[in-house]
Amino acid sequence: MHEIPITGLPCRDMNADGWLADTRTSYDTVAVSYADQLRDALAGKPYLRATLALFADLVHAAGGGSVADVGCGPGHVTAHLHELGIDAVGIDLSPVMIDIARRDHPHLRFEVGSMTDLDLADASVAGLLAFWSLIHVPDDALPTILGHFRRAVRPGGVLLVGFHVGDESRLKTQGYGGHPMKVYVHRRQPGHVAARLRDAGFAVEAQILLDPDESVPGAILFARRRPLAART
């Protein structure tokens, strides 16, 4: 995997159209290798499985309903949620990823879509998962995307966001089987992401730090959609 740090540098390619097109093309290119590498990834990640189990429990406790796995890739997390009794639909920007997800999990629903223009009805899902799928989104696009998340999640519904922890952005030019890529990987501090969620109308309920001794830790935030009147 090749990554070029770009902290503090202006990045011409991170425009509204460019980063989306580059992300779609990159994941179309690496989709087969990515799916092969991630197919059994959760088996060796007990803490990630525990957070998904907690997410499922919270959805059930709030009355159940459909859940959107936004940025689902090859569908391994969507399938895991289904095994936990969740009615999950997977959404991804990459058509090739969706083809693989449908092939590997034909009993589940997967759709091509963008989180920047999320095709979900207002208050239509009981929960929404963004499992390391915001890492390619530049900061200036986050308000629009989180606004779509809030619109789609019903009041009291659960949001889970997972991401890389850090203070820099890197250009990734190769990965997943050595195939070429052109995506920016944005590492963010949990406090920064939590503040963005609050600004979007979510109440942050829990923060979990994963692999804190590794060079790139992970973090998961649990939040709920607040009613409009409750926003401060």
Side-chain angles (χ1 to χ4, degrees), residues 41-195:
L42 288 174
K45 301 288 186 180
Y47 299 107
L48 284 182
R49 294 199 310 273
T51 61
L52 292 173
L54 175 57
F55 175 76
D57 286 346
L58 292 172
V59 170
H60 289 310
S66 298
V67 162
D69 179 8
V70 180
C72 65
H76 61 296
V77 173
T78 317
H80 187 78
L81 291 173
H82 176 75
E83 292 172 1
L84 296 172
I86 294 295
D87 177 19
V89 55
I91 301 169
D92 200 89
L93 183 66
S94 162
V96 182
M97 284 287 191
I98 291 299
D99 286 344
I100 291 172
R102 289 170 174 167
R103 179 200 69 190
D104 290 350
H105 312 286
H107 57 297
L108 300 179
R109 179 184 163 203
F110 295 95
E111 302 291 344
V112 176
S114 173
M115 61 179 68
T116 61
D117 188 21
L118 197 58
D119 189 17
L120 292 172
D122 294 359
S124 61
V125 295
L128 190 147
L129 184 86
F131 210 59
W132 275 263
S133 56
L134 293 176
I135 62 172
H136 303 308
V137 175
D139 271 353
D140 59 4
L142 282 176
T144 295
I145 289 169
L146 296 180
H148 278 299
F149 287 2
R150 183 189 180 277
R151 177 188 58 75
V153 175
R154 72 190 186 199
V158 185
L159 175 71
L160 184 156
V161 178
F163 52 95
H164 298 310
V165 175
D167 296 296
E168 63 184 6
S169 296
R170 290 176 174 262
L171 174 61
K172 184 174 183 176
T173 59
Q174 182 179 314
Y176 308 111
H179 298 288
M181 300 185 76
K182 185 185 177 184
V183 290
Y184 291 94
V185 180
H186 305 288
R187 302 173 184 173
R188 297 179 170 105
Q189 292 297 329
H192 174 77
V193 177

Side-chain angles (χ1 to χ4, degrees), residues 183-227:
V183 290
Y184 291 94
V185 180
H186 305 288
R187 302 173 184 173
R188 297 179 170 105
Q189 292 297 329
H192 174 77
V193 177
R196 293 301 188 105
L197 292 177
R198 293 185 184 102
D199 289 345
F202 289 95
V204 178
E205 295 190 338
Q207 171 184 307
I208 298 171
L209 185 65
L210 301 165
D211 300 317
D213 293 336
E214 297 297 323
S215 58
V216 184
I220 288 179
L221 298 182
F222 286 87
R224 287 186 192 271
R225 176 186 162 175
R226 295 180 299 193

Side-chain angles (χ1 to χ4, degrees), residues 13-30:
D13 292 328
M14 283 197 290
N15 57 68
D17 296 323
W19 71 268
L20 267 179
D22 289 341
T23 301
R24 180 188 295 109
T25 299
S26 293
Y27 278 95
D28 278 348
T29 301
V30 304

